[in-house]
Amino acid sequence: MHLGQLTFDAADAHGLAAWWAELLGWNTEPGPDLGEVRVVPPDGEGVPLMFLRVPEPKRAKNRFHPDLHTANLDEDVARAVALGAAELARHKETSRWAVLQDPEGNEFCIVERRRQ
């Protein structure tokens, strides 16, 4: 068994997939059914994201969320916010990270890699 993709429910699957593709610098491709869009890494390395159109709105905090790793937390959080993310919190414990929401309210973190 292996992880094939991470799937997001969305009111606007195409719009949210385009947003994530822009954030990650990845590509979009049609999913197997109408209302489905995949976001795939350009080099084929990494786990694709699938966006499915669903009728119901998001109601609660995600119990599962992606962590994006970066060498520059401040720069990448600012970029995500400029694209339409909302910053919810910043943390500095054993590492530095920010909690954000995408345009449909799905939580994700941007985590700064520790400097050696």
Side-chain angles (χ1 to χ4, degrees), residues 34-85:
L34 289 176
E36 297 181 4
V37 183
R38 288 172 44 106
V39 175
V40 296
D43 59 6
E45 296 293 321
V47 177
L49 307 177
M50 173 70 84
F51 295 85
L52 306 175
R53 184 181 58 214
V54 298
E56 68 276 357
K58 181 176 179 290
R59 291 193 170 87
K61 179 181 183 280
N62 295 25
R63 298 284 298 191
F64 175 84
H65 68 267
D67 284 354
L68 308 177
H69 291 189
T70 182
N72 189 321
L73 181 69
D74 298 326
E75 182 179 294
D76 284 332
V77 168
R79 184 172 169 275
V81 169
L83 290 171

Side-chain angles (χ1 to χ4, degrees), residues 6-112:
L6 298 175
T7 303
F8 292 76
D9 289 348
D12 177 6
H14 291 275
L16 194 57
W19 187 87
W20 277 92
E22 177 71 20
L23 179 68
L24 296 171
W26 289 12
N27 303 311
T28 60
E29 62 182 36
D33 294 319
L34 289 176
E36 297 181 4
V37 183
R38 288 172 44 106
V39 175
V40 296
D43 59 6
E45 296 293 321
V47 177
L49 307 177
M50 173 70 84
F51 295 85
L52 306 175
R53 184 181 58 214
V54 298
E56 68 276 357
K58 181 176 179 290
R59 291 193 170 87
K61 179 181 183 280
N62 295 25
R63 298 284 298 191
F64 175 84
H65 68 267
D67 284 354
L68 308 177
H69 291 189
T70 182
N72 189 321
L73 181 69
D74 298 326
E75 182 179 294
D76 284 332
V77 168
R79 184 172 169 275
V81 169
L83 290 171
E87 183 177 348
L88 303 179
R90 292 261 182 144
H91 299 277
K92 182 182 176 184
E93 294 167 16
T94 56
S95 62
R96 289 180 17 151
W97 76 96
V99 180
L100 298 100
Q101 287 180 326
D102 71 16
E104 288 204 14
N106 299 299
E107 292 89 9
F108 66 99
C109 290
I110 298 179
V111 180
E112 188 171 68

